[in-house]
Amino acid sequence: MGFLDKVKAQASELAKQGQGLAKQGQDKLDDYQAKKEADRMLRDLGAWYYATETARDDGDGPTEMARLVAALEAHEAEHGPLGAEDDEDEPSGAAPPPPPPPSAPPTAPPPAGPDAAPPA
């Protein structure tokens, strides 16, 4: 195999790796955009619920809430359950667990007797 053949083989391999990385990046971007859309729909659903409960919806609340629930169900059918985390890289909305309680400070051992030297 000549030098140029080796270079072509390496270039081909690098191109395949680049395509794989580009697909991974696009998939991650698509997941992020889908999550953002679901968050927007959930916020709107909560806003319509609040408007309905406080009689500020002008009678449109039940219709809009039904529309948003249907849209969220379709979103779940396409992208999976809401709130499901597939990626540990993304920070979750939940707070991290609290740190363990501090341990008791170490106590000094009692002096060895009347002839013991004071600690330095």
Side-chain angles (χ1 to χ4, degrees):
M1 184 180 268
F3 175 73
L4 288 178
D5 292 334
K6 290 180 183 179
V7 170
K8 285 182 183 179
Q10 285 181 334
S12 176
E13 182 64 30
L14 288 173
K16 287 179 186 177
Q17 289 176 356
Q19 289 172 350
L21 290 174
K23 179 163 178 21
Q24 285 177 343
Q26 185 63 45
D27 290 346
K28 193 160 190 107
L29 178 63
D30 291 344
D31 290 345
Y32 175 76
Q33 289 173 337
K35 181 183 181 318
K36 191 172 180 180
E37 178 66 13
D39 288 346
R40 184 196 61 78
M41 288 188 286
L42 288 169
R43 184 192 58 80
D44 289 350
L45 180 61
W48 275 108
Y49 178 81
Y50 180 77
T52 301
E53 289 296 307
T54 57
R56 299 177 192 168
D57 65 336
D58 296 330
D60 296 333
T63 303
E64 289 298 317
M65 286 190 291
R67 180 187 63 79
L68 285 164
V69 167
L72 284 164
E73 288 172 343
H75 182 85
E76 281 188 311
E78 183 177 347
H79 300 285
L82 297 176
E85 293 293 328
D86 292 336
D87 206 357
E88 288 88 30
D89 295 339
E90 293 183 19
S92 66
S103 60
T107 57
D115 297 332

